[in-house]
Amino acid sequence: MRVLASAFVFILSFAAQAQVVPVDTIPAVIEVNQDSAQLKFSASLRELRQIAGAPVPFYTYFWEFGDGSFSFEKDPLHSYRDTGTFDIRVYATNNYDDGKPPPTKPKKINITKAPPTPIRHAGISPTFFKSDGSIELKTNRMPKPAEDMVLLIGYRNKAEWNIPNLSGKLAILYNERQFKQDNFLLKETRNHHKEQKSSLNTLMAYVPFQKIFEEDWKQKGGPAIIEKVKPNENSRVLKDKAELFRNSEVWKFENIKQGEERFMFISLNTTPEMLQDTNAVVTISAVFIPDDPLLEHEVVDLQLQIVASHDPNKMMLKNRRMNYRFTGKKQELTYKVRFQNTGEGPAKKVAIGIRAAGSLDVSSVQISDSQPKCIPCNLAYSNQSCLERFVFKDSVGFVFKNIYLPGVKQKGVSDMDSTMGYIEYAVNFKKKPKKVPFDSQAAIVFDKNEPIYTNRSVGRFKPGFSPGIIAVYGTRVNNTALTMGNKNFSLGLSIAPFSPYRKYLQWELYVSTFNESETFLGRRTGGDTIINRIGYKVAYRDQFRKSKVISIDVVPAQLRYNLNSFIGFGAGAIVSSNLKTTNEKTKNTSLENPNGQRIILNETQKEENQGFNQWQSSLFADIQLGMVRVGPSLGIRYLYALNINDRRFSTYLAWKF
């Protein structure tokens, strides 16, 4: 009894602890202080909780000031150009913390007096448009399942266009069709420059045309100018891009001045279903569509890694789900390792060691991009910033030397992008790999600090579909009567995953089965009979039954296992139903007349049944030899009927494509 009481007290104490309200629900508290003509913003957040073995946790910040401006600083300064009421938002991301980000709660602020001289808005810097284009995308954090995220859209009228006022449209495309589920749900859009909502269908219906001028020498006395039109290449680019996504948002903007930059903010809810795609790379695309037909459409892609936790050091494999049918030795994989200096001072050296999957050929590694940009060390002079590559048996290493990578906690550092870097490289398989997942992992060392280990970046192959044809010939094992002939021939189709490695499910349908048998039912001897008033002696009477059956067989469940590339086993159930059954009974009678002459009389009775008139369920097991993954193979199958006394052996020839 004491043991039971102690256990009961323990359970109650555990339940009481489980009911404690988590601090993750405490929202960020925004504080505002006036400093001269500027306002200083700060946020009070819950305490961070250290993950065992991880670096020291910290927050990163994203501020919206309610007037179309923003900041990634911890305690930003901002001044408003106009008076009015503005909603202030802060989004804090907890790095190396075991909880959720603090909820965002907007705070209203009333500005009654604008500063006498305009002050440049926080967050708007020449480095935002890193691609030097007219549109750019950025997020406050990598997408984590079941969390919110802010998509920052910047667009501008570039000064070199020399257009005083520019109008056009913005299209945001999200939720790629390559993923079965939606990754994002649009929660709210915050615009500050009177952008008007539109639709992709309306945009696609408006097909700009470009004019082509030709000389027509058939006109009177000289050339005449004839205008011809053809669809602009821009419309094709937009259409091709839109086909890759399920969802879109379109806005129309007007009269953006030369050199002006504008920003919009979209709150996205990341769906819980994203968890199954952790470490996958998702893309959000934006298209900038000027009304001026002489200006080209601009497309920008933002690639985001779905993460299980907000750790700034990550490894990802682009296009990690591959079609195995088209995968071979020359298949090129692109890996990207992101890193961030989270320390209090700059890093001069960053070393990245990568344990590569055994199926990858590390000798084929080629660097495709890096940040900071560095030349190879074998081309650098003494103490010049450079990047060196090391290749080992089953790993590869990269070392950034003599660089300056600021730390997140370093004084005077406000641009978080300057604290980040990455290495991107391409690698091939050693040979056509096995159809199994493969993973790689990186360790990152800043100067002489302890290594930081990234996530495991896992590559997988899509199941694919492998159709097949099957030809079956079978014989009965347990005949209950003397069988004069028996034919059982079937043609069927199969569907299975393409080139399965070990176990897999297969579905089969025999759309036309022909089964013919003739059975001797017995003989009676002796007797007399009268035909046309003439007496005959009966020598014997033989009876036969001839059956023809056309049926359909379905294998709704079959589990198969490939021992290797040439031997496979399978077991499952098969359901059969007759579509048409023809039974023909024949009676052959041998007679002798009074003159001693022999006469044979034949009597036939025919019966037909159509429709699903008979059902039969059977269990089976088989062995398959040959190219059991893809190609021809030969199999032997044993079937045991459940509702009738029937057992069969059948041989079959299968070919998977």
Side-chain angles (χ1 to χ4, degrees):
M1 292 295 294
R2 290 182 179 180
V3 174
L4 291 176
S6 299
F8 182 70
V9 172
F10 173 77
I11 293 172
L12 287 179
S13 63
F14 180 83
Q17 292 177 1
Q19 294 176 359
V20 175
V21 178
V23 295
D24 292 358
T25 60
I26 301 176
V29 178
I30 297 175
E31 299 175 358
V32 184
N33 295 310
Q34 183 100 21
D35 182 9
S36 182
Q38 291 183 319
L39 298 177
K40 184 176 182 180
F41 297 87
S42 60
S44 298
L45 307 170
R46 68 165 175 83
E47 292 186 1
L48 291 163
R49 302 191 294 268
Q50 174 77 47
I51 297 177
V56 177
F58 64 95
Y59 280 114
T60 51
Y61 301 83
F62 173 69
W63 291 83
E64 287 184 39
F65 298 114
D67 61 348
S69 54
F70 60 92
S71 176
F72 286 93
E73 298 180 13
K74 178 182 178 182
D75 302 316
L77 296 172
H78 182 63
S79 65
Y80 290 88
R81 297 181 180 181
D82 301 311
T83 59
T85 301
F86 302 92
D87 287 333
I88 313 301
R89 292 176 171 84
V90 61
Y91 299 86
T93 301
N94 49 329
N95 299 272
Y96 296 118
D97 175 84
D98 63 4
K100 297 180 179 179
T104 298
K105 185 178 180 180
K107 179 176 182 177
K108 291 187 179 296
I109 183 172
N110 189 24
I111 303 298
T112 58
K113 184 178 180 181
T117 57
I119 302 176
R120 184 172 178 83
H121 285 204
I124 302 177
S125 65
T127 59
F128 181 83
F129 294 87
K130 297 184 183 300
S131 60
D132 198 31
S134 56
I135 187 168
E136 193 71 54
L137 300 178
K138 192 171 183 178
T139 60
N140 66 319
R141 59 172 70 113
M142 287 291 175
K144 182 179 178 182
E147 284 188 0
D148 64 338
M149 183 185 76
V150 178
L151 176 66
L152 172 58
I153 308 168
Y155 65 99
R156 62 178 176 171
N157 181 357
K158 294 196 290 187
E160 56 264 33
W161 284 346
N162 198 26
I163 299 177
N165 291 284
L166 180 66
S167 298
K169 298 178 180 65
L170 299 173
I172 305 298
L173 309 171
Y174 60 101
N175 287 333
E176 297 167 274
R177 296 184 187 275
Q178 65 169 313
F179 294 95
K180 295 181 180 179
Q181 71 284 338
D182 288 343
N183 292 320
F184 302 104
L185 299 176
L186 191 144
K187 180 181 179 182
E188 182 186 12
T189 299
R190 297 178 291 279
N191 50 23
H192 304 277
H193 300 280
K194 299 180 180 180
E195 293 92 346
Q196 297 295 317
K197 188 74 176 292
S198 183
S199 69
L200 186 63
N201 291 335
T202 302
L203 181 60
M204 298 294 288
Y206 170 72
V207 180
F209 293 91
Q210 65 184 29
K211 297 179 180 180
I212 303 174
F213 299 97
E214 289 186 353
E215 294 183 345
D216 187 352
W217 296 94
K218 297 180 181 180
Q219 297 293 330
K220 299 177 182 179
I225 302 301
I226 296 180
E227 293 185 359
K228 292 187 177 181
V229 295
K230 72 175 184 179
N232 194 302
E233 186 71 12
N234 288 332
S235 62
R236 186 188 63 81
V237 173
L238 176 62
K239 182 178 182 297
D240 292 345
K241 198 69 177 176
E243 289 178 350
L244 301 176
F245 298 87
R246 282 193 294 269
N247 299 99
S248 63
E249 293 291 321
V250 179
W251 297 271
K252 179 175 176 57
F253 62 88
E254 294 182 346
N255 300 324
I256 180 170
K257 298 179 181 179
Q258 184 177 354
E260 182 184 356
E261 299 176 1
R262 294 180 180 177
F263 298 90
M264 297 176 59
F265 310 90
I266 299 179
S267 290
L268 297 171
N269 287 336
T270 55
T271 61
E273 291 79 12
M274 291 174 65
L275 187 61
Q276 62 182 328
D277 291 316
T278 300
N279 295 330
V281 178
V282 298
T283 301
I284 298 178
S285 294
V287 187
F288 183 81
I289 309 160
D291 286 344
D292 189 336
L294 298 179
L295 296 177
E296 293 185 355
H297 294 183
E298 291 191 30
V299 180
V300 62
D301 293 333
L302 177 65
Q303 293 185 331
L304 302 169
Q305 182 180 8
I306 301 173
V307 299
S309 61
H310 292 301
D311 305 336
N313 300 290
K314 289 286 182 181
M315 183 176 188
M316 64 182 182
L317 168 62
K318 296 183 181 179
N319 300 321
R320 70 186 187 100
R321 294 183 65 84
M322 291 163 280
N323 189 326
Y324 189 73
R325 190 182 292 272
F326 304 109
T327 299
K329 180 179 180 180
K330 295 183 179 180
Q331 175 79 30
E332 186 175 270
L333 308 178
T334 301
Y335 284 90
K336 188 174 185 178
V337 181
R338 297 187 297 109
F339 53 87
Q340 184 176 33
N341 181 9
T342 60
E344 298 179 354
K348 296 182 179 180
K349 178 182 176 181
V350 178
I352 304 169
I354 299 171
R355 175 191 57 79
S359 58
L360 299 180
D361 180 11
V362 292
S363 64
S364 67
V365 168
Q366 296 293 330
I367 299 173
S368 53
D369 196 7
S370 69
Q371 182 65 34
K373 303 288 185 183
C374 294
I375 65 172
C377 285
N378 59 349
L379 302 178
Y381 55 78
S382 179
N383 295 326
Q384 183 181 6
S385 298
C386 65
L387 175 59
E388 190 165 4
R389 184 194 69 170
F390 299 93
V391 176
F392 305 98
K393 181 180 179 181
D394 56 356
S395 62
V396 62
F398 305 96
V399 181
F400 291 86
K401 297 181 178 180
N402 302 316
I403 63 172
Y404 186 91
L405 188 70
V408 169
K409 302 174 185 177
Q410 184 176 333
K411 291 183 178 180
V413 174
S414 59
D415 183 7
M416 290 297 102
D417 286 348
S418 66
T419 67
M420 302 177 185
Y422 63 84
I423 182 73
E424 185 176 285
Y425 65 93
V427 63
N428 302 107
F429 288 109
K430 295 177 181 177
K431 57 182 180 180
K432 187 173 180 66
K434 297 178 180 178
K435 196 179 180 183
V436 293
F438 57 94
D439 66 87
S440 299
Q441 188 177 27
I444 305 170
V445 178
F446 296 91
D447 291 331
K448 297 182 179 180
N449 295 300
E450 291 294 319
I452 299 173
Y453 296 95
T454 68
N455 58 295
R456 291 188 307 112
S457 182
V458 182
R460 303 180 187 277
F461 296 103
K462 299 176 183 178
F465 289 105
S466 179
I469 57 175
I470 306 175
V472 181
Y473 183 82
T475 58
R476 281 180 177 162
V477 177
N478 56 333
N479 292 324
T480 57
L482 181 62
T483 301
M484 308 300 293
N486 189 345
K487 297 179 182 178
N488 189 317
F489 180 71
S490 304
L491 285 175
L493 302 174
S494 67
I495 292 292
F498 178 76
S499 189
Y501 180 65
R502 291 295 188 194
K503 59 183 178 180
Y504 62 99
L505 295 176
Q506 180 167 299
W507 177 83
E508 296 174 4
L509 171 66
Y510 300 93
V511 295
S512 179
T513 301
F514 178 72
N515 188 332
E516 180 178 333
S517 63
E518 185 175 1
T519 305
F520 176 63
L521 300 179
R523 168 175 286 189
R524 285 176 53 191
T525 59
D528 298 317
T529 186
I530 297 176
I531 302 175
N532 296 328
R533 298 180 181 181
I534 300 175
Y536 292 86
K537 289 184 178 181
V538 178
Y540 60 85
R541 292 184 176 93
D542 289 344
Q543 289 190 1
F544 299 84
R545 183 179 64 233
K546 190 175 183 179
S547 299
K548 293 182 180 180
V549 180
I550 298 177
S551 64
I552 184 170
D553 300 339
V554 179
V555 178
Q558 177 184 182
L559 178 64
R560 303 202 61 83
Y561 184 88
N562 290 337
L563 186 64
N564 50 41
S565 298
F566 307 101
I567 303 176
F569 302 94
I574 185 169
V575 179
S576 305
S577 178
N578 294 343
L579 296 178
K580 181 179 179 180
T581 303
T582 302
N583 289 317
E584 188 176 277
K585 288 186 178 181
T586 303
K587 182 186 294 185
N588 298 332
T589 304
S590 178
L591 304 174
E592 183 177 336
N593 62 18
N595 298 325
Q597 294 178 331
R598 284 291 182 100
I599 301 174
I600 302 296
L601 297 180
N602 297 321
E603 182 182 352
T604 301
Q605 294 180 345
K606 191 173 183 180
E607 180 182 280
E608 286 189 1
N609 294 316
Q610 294 186 356
F612 296 94
N613 55 1
Q614 291 186 16
W615 292 88
Q616 178 180 330
S617 300
S618 304
L619 300 178
F620 68 85
D622 68 20
I623 183 172
Q624 198 172 11
L625 304 175
M627 301 178 68
V628 295
R629 290 175 179 160
V630 176
S633 60
L634 182 66
I636 300 176
R637 177 173 291 181
Y638 175 74
L639 297 97
Y640 180 83
L642 298 178
N643 51 345
I644 63 173
N645 185 23
D646 187 22
R647 291 177 294 149
R648 290 179 182 269
F649 272 113
S650 62
T651 59
Y652 63 90
L653 177 64
W655 197 309
K656 292 183 179 179
F657 299 93

